[in-house]
Every structure is written in C-alpha cells, then in structure tokens.
Amino acid sequence: CAAVVFGMVSDMWPIHGYRLSPYIISAGVVGVIAYCFLAFGGLAATTAAFMCLLINFAHASPDVMIDGSVAIRMKTHPALASDLQTLCWGSTGLCGVVAALIQGPVVDAWGARTLYAMAILPCGIVIVPAVLGWLREERLPPGERNPKCSVCVQNFKDPVQVRHPHLLIFSEIDLVYRDYNLNCTSSS
C-alpha cells in the first residue's frame, strides 16, 4: 500500500523537476535522523515508535524509486531486463542475509542501540546515487512540473490508456466496488 502512495506522490509532484532523486535523498536524510534518535537518544515509547515509522518510510521510499528507475531501464534496454532484476533481487537478498547474521550477535553483545547506530551508515549510503546523478534522471521541463491531477481523473475514467500504472489499483478498487453494488442491487 505504501509503495503505491510513494510512487503516486513522486510521479504527481516532482521536486525541482525530478521525480526520483529528491525523494530518495529526503528518505535517506529522514532515515539517518531517525536512526540517530534511536541510537543516541533516550526516547519515550511513542517517540521511538514514530522513529520506527520514519525508518519504514526511509526503507520503502527508495525501494519504490529504484524499482521505478529499473523499470525505465528495462524498457530502454530489454535485453538486460533479467540481469537488472537479478541484480536488484540478488543484492537485496544477500544484504538481508548478512544483516540477519549480524543483528543477533550485535544485540546480544552490545544492545539494540548499537544496531541502530550501525544502521545509520547504510541508510545514509542510499543518498549517494541520487546526489551523484547515477540514476540518470532527466529534469522535467517547467510546464510538466505541476501536479497532474487531471491525469489522475483521466485514469479513473479510462483505465485502458493509463500513463501512471500504479493508479490502476484505484481503478480496480472502483471497478470491484461498482460490480459489488450492481450485484447487491440486482439480487435485491
């Protein structure tokens, strides 16, 4: 659910003409700040829970943005599509296994705060590709930088000609709801 929201927000509201990089940078900064609070601050339970929510955003948002970048590359280089998918999922799996192997002994030896402190660096590294322009994102012309609410409305009316595929979920919900209402009224 969050992935759909992040994708929709980044597509509809580009920041300074960019749809991916600013969101990756902001998510990385938010994640670093949240991990710093958890690692070095004595927080109340509600504040710590909010920091965990921010960390979830810091992990999910770049994931969605990078998946979008990979999807664009797969369209422009179809011969490399399987290699790109293998690279993304393979690196995610490998890093997940390494993290799982490390976190138990670290928490046992030094506590959870040390684990949060160790997570600051990887969360901050997410910013590097966006800042250095490795995503090769083209800046949108000034006329295309405003919110595209009219496109959203068009997608709801005609889901066949979708320019924002992630909005199809809302079209599907609408169609299911309409079908449910038709079935309820016809059976009554």
Side-chain angles (χ1 to χ4, degrees):
C1 181
V4 173
V5 173
F6 294 146
M8 185 169 51
V9 167
S10 70
D11 283 350
M12 288 180 59
W13 290 289
I15 299 174
H16 298 292
Y18 296 101
R19 289 190 171 130
L20 304 175
S21 298
Y23 289 97
I24 292 173
I25 293 168
S26 64
V29 169
V30 165
V32 166
I33 291 169
Y35 275 124
C36 285
F37 272 105
L38 287 172
F40 306 116
L43 304 174
T46 54
T47 307
F50 182 69
M51 292 300 135
C52 289
L53 179 70
L54 292 179
I55 288 170
N56 191 8
F57 163 75
H59 289 263
S61 183
D63 180 50
V64 170
M65 302 306 138
I66 291 169
D67 283 347
S69 179
V70 168
I72 291 168
R73 299 300 175 273
M74 287 176 15
K75 285 182 182 178
T76 58
H77 299 73
L80 298 176
S82 62
D83 293 337
L84 287 169
Q85 285 295 321
T86 302
L87 175 66
C88 287
W89 285 102
S91 60
T92 300
L94 179 64
C95 292
V97 168
V98 170
L101 290 172
I102 291 173
Q103 67 187 3
V106 167
V107 170
D108 285 343
W110 299 292
R113 288 184 186 268
T114 304
L115 191 64
Y116 291 132
M118 290 174 64
I120 293 169
L121 181 64
C123 192
I125 287 176
V126 169
I127 299 169
V128 173
V131 169
L132 296 179
W134 292 353
L135 299 176
R136 295 186 183 160
E137 183 178 13
E138 292 183 25
R139 190 172 192 182
L140 296 173
E144 294 182 28
R145 294 183 193 176
N146 296 329
K148 303 277 190 213
C149 294
S150 61
V151 172
C152 294
V153 171
Q154 180 61 35
N155 286 343
F156 290 125
K157 291 179 182 174
D158 186 11
V160 174
Q161 296 180 355
V162 174
R163 292 185 184 146
H164 298 279
H166 51 271
L167 291 176
L168 276 176
I169 190 168
F170 296 111
S171 298
E172 290 294 324
I173 292 170
D174 181 52
L175 291 174
V176 168
Y177 177 74
R178 287 181 189 182
D179 185 49
Y180 173 76
N181 282 340
L182 286 175
N183 287 338
C184 288
T185 54
S186 64
S187 62
S188 304

